[in-house]
Amino acid sequence: MPPRRARHTLLTLAIALWATTNSHAQQVQNITATNWMATSHVLNRENYQKWAQDVAKASGERMKIEVHSSGSLVPARTTMQGVRDGVAAVGIVYPPYTPSEFPLNNVLNDLVFVSDDDMAAAFAYTELNLKNAALQAEWRKNGGLFLGGYSTPVYNLLCSRKTIRDVNDAQGLKIRTAGGAQNAWIKALGAIPVSVPSSDIYTGLERGSIDCTMSDPSNLGTSYRFWEVAKTVTRLPMGVVVGANYVFNTKDWKSYSDEQRRILIDTIAWGIARSQVGYHNEVEIALKGARERGLDMVEPSAALNEKLAQFKRDLAKNLPQQAMQERKVADPTALIQDYLSAEQKWKQLLQGIDRSSAEAVHKVLSDNLYQQLDPASYGL
C-alpha cells in the first residue's frame, strides 16, 4: 500500500474509533421506573420524582429515570412480576399483596405491628433486606434485587360515625385494615376487619359501608383527604406497615457500570430519607389541619392501651410458631430478633436528630448503611 493511502486509511480508522468511543461515552442510560402511587403521594413525590432529578444531576444527565405513576405501567399487585419480566427496571413493591411469594417479608410486616417508631422501622427493615441472606434469596427468587424500604407512620383509627375510646367501643364495627396482624387486632376488639382498596376508603367512610379505617394520620390530609369524611381520630399506636420502595430487575442492575450503581445507591439513600421525613412532616400538617376542621382527637382509655400492649406482647411471643404454621417458613425466631435489635439500634442512632430535616436524616442513614454498600459486588 502506498504511504499516502496508508496514512489516509489509518486516519480514517482513528476518526471512526474516536467517534465510536465518544458516542459510547455520551450514551444515556434510560431506566424505566413504575410507581403505583399518584405523583402527589410521598412515596412517589419524594422517592421517585425527586430521585429521578437526583440521578440526572449526579450523572451529568447520562442517566435518566422515566417514572410511570398511578399504576399506568404496572398495577400495584403485579409490580414485582412487571419488574421481573423487564417491563420496568425498578418499582415499588408491597409484599403483602403477594404473601405466598414473600413469606419472610410478610413475617416482618406482621411483626411491625409492635413498632412505635416509623423511621427506625423503615431503616431496620431496609438494613435487614440489604444484609440478610434469606431475605435476599426471597427477592432473587422473585426476580428482584432489594435496594431500599419504607415505613408508613404509626397507624391510628379514623372513624366517620363512632368514637372509639374504650375497649368495648369497637364492638360490631366494620373497620378497614391492611391485613395480617391488623386483622387479628380488630377481631380482638370484637370488630369486623374489612378489606377495601385504599382508593375506596373515602367513599366507604362517606357512605357508611365501613365505620372506621386503620390508617396513618398523613392520609387525613393531602394523600386521601380523609378529614373530609372522618369525625374522630383515636390516637392509639397500632404499629406501621413496611414495604420496598426500590426493587430492581436483577439483569438490569448487573448491566450498569460500577459508577452508575454508585450513583443509584447514593441517590436512593436520599430518596428514603426524604420519604420518611416527608411522612413525618405530613403527619404534623394533617393532624393540625384535622383539628382546625373540627375532628375530635381521642385519647384511648388506660384499658384500651393495656389491651393493645398485651396484644403486642402476645404477637411477638407467638409469631414464630404462627409463621411456621401459616406461612410455611422455617423457624423465623432469629429473623424476628434481628429485626427487633436493628430497630432498637436505629432508634438510638436517630436520637436527637431533627426528623424534619432530610439532610440530618440522610447523614445518619448514609453513614450507617448505604456507604457500606459496594457497587462492585452488591447484587452481582
Side-chain angles (χ1 to χ4, degrees), residues 79-88 141-144 248-250:
T79 295
M80 186 66 260
Q81 180 182 340
V83 171
R84 181 199 67 198
D85 294 344
V87 178
K141 183 179 179 181
N142 286 279
F248 276 81
N249 175 283
T250 54

Side-chain angles (χ1 to χ4, degrees), residues 161-236:
R161 290 169 175 78
K162 302 288 185 178
T163 298
I164 298 178
R165 188 187 309 274
D166 211 345
V167 172
N168 297 318
D169 291 341
Q171 287 278 347
L173 298 184
K174 298 186 293 294
I175 300 178
R176 190 268 182 184
T177 75
Q182 291 187 5
N183 283 351
W185 166 241
I186 292 305
K187 289 178 181 178
L189 291 176
I192 303 165
V194 178
S195 176
V196 174
S198 56
S199 57
D200 294 339
I201 297 173
Y202 184 103
T203 54
L205 290 171
E206 185 179 38
R207 297 173 183 174
S209 58
I210 57 174
D211 300 296
C212 308
T213 181
M214 289 184 64
S215 174
D216 79 76
S218 72
N219 291 326
L220 285 163
T222 54
S223 295
Y224 292 103
R225 303 188 70 81
F226 290 155
W227 58 28
E228 295 177 350
V229 289
K231 297 292 185 283
T232 65
V233 180
T234 302
R235 300 285 285 148
L236 189 67

Side-chain angles (χ1 to χ4, degrees), residues 32-103:
T32 302
T34 180
N35 190 309
W36 37 273
M37 310 285 189
T39 54
S40 61
H41 194 284
V42 64
L43 291 179
N44 191 334
R45 184 185 72 241
E46 304 297 335
N47 268 343
Y48 277 62
Q49 302 301 321
K50 292 183 180 179
W51 176 51
Q53 296 171 17
D54 289 345
V55 169
K57 182 178 179 181
S59 67
E61 303 294 331
R62 289 181 293 110
M63 298 174 70
K64 292 189 176 180
I65 311 287
E66 182 183 359
V67 182
H68 297 262
S69 300
S70 302
S72 61
L73 183 64
V74 184
R77 293 181 182 276
T78 57
T79 295
M80 186 66 260
Q81 180 182 340
V83 171
R84 181 199 67 198
D85 294 344
V87 178
V90 60
I92 181 168
V93 176
Y94 181 52
Y97 280 152
T98 51
S100 61
E101 281 77 22
F102 291 100

Side-chain angles (χ1 to χ4, degrees), residues 2-23:
R4 183 176 295 178
R5 184 177 297 178
R7 286 197 299 271
H8 178 74
T9 302
L10 287 172
L11 178 61
T12 301
L13 288 172
I15 291 172
L17 179 61
W18 175 87
T20 301
T21 304
N22 190 59
S23 174

